[in-house]
Amino acid sequence: MKICYIVAMVAEAQPFIERYGIQKVEGFFAPLPCQLYEGEVNGTTLYVVLNGQQNGSDLVGCEAATVATLSAIQRLHPDLIINSGTCGAFRAKGADIAEVYIGNGVMFHDRRVPGDDAWGTQSLGNYPVWAGSQQLAATLGMKMGKVTTGSSLDMQPCDLEMIQQHGGELKDMEGAAVGFVCTLLTTPILYVKSVTDLCDGGAETFEEFSRNLSKACEALRVANERVIDYLTKQIQGF
Ligand code: ADE
């Protein structure tokens, strides 16, 4: 069995990489920016693929996540993709900083495409998540929420309108792009997202995100250890 994490930021993956002692495979995806780490946990191959960096900063966003996911699936043939990282969430929906959620759906919230219903539906995405996501969340006592993805850290009124209209709860910058590729290549996907900022909390988003990043990433490490333990000991197949 092979599990592959797709992670945008070094800060999000580092605590996890250190915990499992997984090793970097230098140049595996060259000349693409994504980076491979590989190890083994409970007899399961564990890959962590980072989007990579450009000019010294992490490549966040849909384009780099698409490249990383496509490359990872085509080269590594994982049985399950896990998109793990940080997100914004909503106090009004009961969210708090450093809470970790399992995704129960995923869509884009900043694609405003006029036209017929089919075009509108396609732009929103609404890709399926791994069928075992709900059972995992119930077993581990974790909250679930719908991931909504856009290309910006801030939230414009039109984004909020779309998020509210479609029941979005976890605002990120990669989830739906990863889900799109997984749908194309029929690879199941599980979302594990930790809250760095509250979109309706009144604080400036980047400041709040930066202030809570290490706390949220530590919570993410703890949650991912439980997720990996569950997947490697209790699941027979995906
Ligand atoms: N990642 C962490 N917080 C985020 C937010 N508010 N929007 C998009 N991506 C995020």
Side-chain angles (χ1 to χ4, degrees):
M1 194 163 77
K2 295 188 280 191
I3 294 173
C4 180
Y5 275 81
I6 303 288
V7 185
M9 296 178 63
V10 171
E12 293 166 331
Q14 199 63 36
F16 187 60
I17 286 171
E18 283 171 13
R19 160 65 183 83
Y20 287 109
I22 48 184
Q23 300 296 314
K24 191 171 190 177
V25 184
E26 290 290 347
F28 183 81
F29 291 113
L32 300 176
C34 34
Q35 300 290 335
L36 174 65
Y37 291 76
E38 182 177 359
E40 200 195 286
V41 180
N42 302 328
T44 296
T45 301
L46 186 63
Y47 298 118
V48 177
V49 174
L50 280 154
N51 284 359
Q53 297 189 327
Q54 213 167 37
N55 305 320
S57 59
D58 295 321
L59 281 162
V60 296
C62 292
E63 296 82 357
T66 301
V67 168
T69 309
L70 182 66
S71 306
I73 296 177
Q74 290 191 325
R75 297 278 308 273
L76 305 169
H77 307 287
D79 299 293
L80 179 72
I81 289 282
I82 302 179
N83 178 221
S84 176
T86 56
C87 66
F90 295 84
R91 198 186 286 287
K93 296 252 185 179
D96 210 345
I97 300 298
E99 265 191 323
V100 182
Y101 283 74
I102 299 299
N104 58 11
V106 66
M107 62 171 280
F108 289 101
H109 63 246
D110 65 353
R111 290 178 159 185
R112 295 173 294 280
V113 182
D116 60 18
D117 277 357
W119 222 355
T121 303
Q122 186 240 85
S123 345
L124 287 175
N126 278 315
Y127 309 113
V129 299
W130 172 48
S133 299
Q134 193 170 0
Q135 183 65 50
L136 178 146
T139 305
L140 300 183
M142 292 167 75
K143 287 185 176 180
M144 296 193 89
K146 184 170 183 178
V147 178
T148 79
T149 301
S151 291
S152 300
L153 189 72
D154 74 1
M155 184 175 68
Q156 296 300 311
C158 52
D159 298 325
L160 178 60
E161 194 181 318
M162 192 85 98
I163 290 169
Q164 286 180 333
Q165 193 182 336
H166 295 275
E169 292 179 75
L170 311 169
K171 179 176 173 288
D172 81 347
M173 293 179 66
E174 293 88 16
V178 180
F180 171 63
V181 178
C182 286
T183 299
L184 293 181
L185 300 182
T186 55
T187 305
I189 176 159
L190 171 71
Y191 292 93
V192 185
K193 298 279 172 178
S194 182
V195 178
T196 46
D197 51 274
L198 296 165
C199 303
D200 55 352
E204 199 283 315
T205 305
F206 186 65
E207 192 280 320
E208 191 179 24
F209 164 80
S210 306
R211 178 159 35 90
N212 294 318
L213 184 60
S214 66
K215 185 181 175 189
C217 290
E218 180 54 19
L220 198 58
R221 177 191 66 79
V222 172
N224 273 317
E225 278 192 52
R226 299 183 66 219
V227 166
I228 288 293
D229 206 58
Y230 173 83
L231 293 175
T232 57
K233 291 183 180 163
Q234 296 191 36
I235 295 290
Q236 308 306 321
F238 301 104

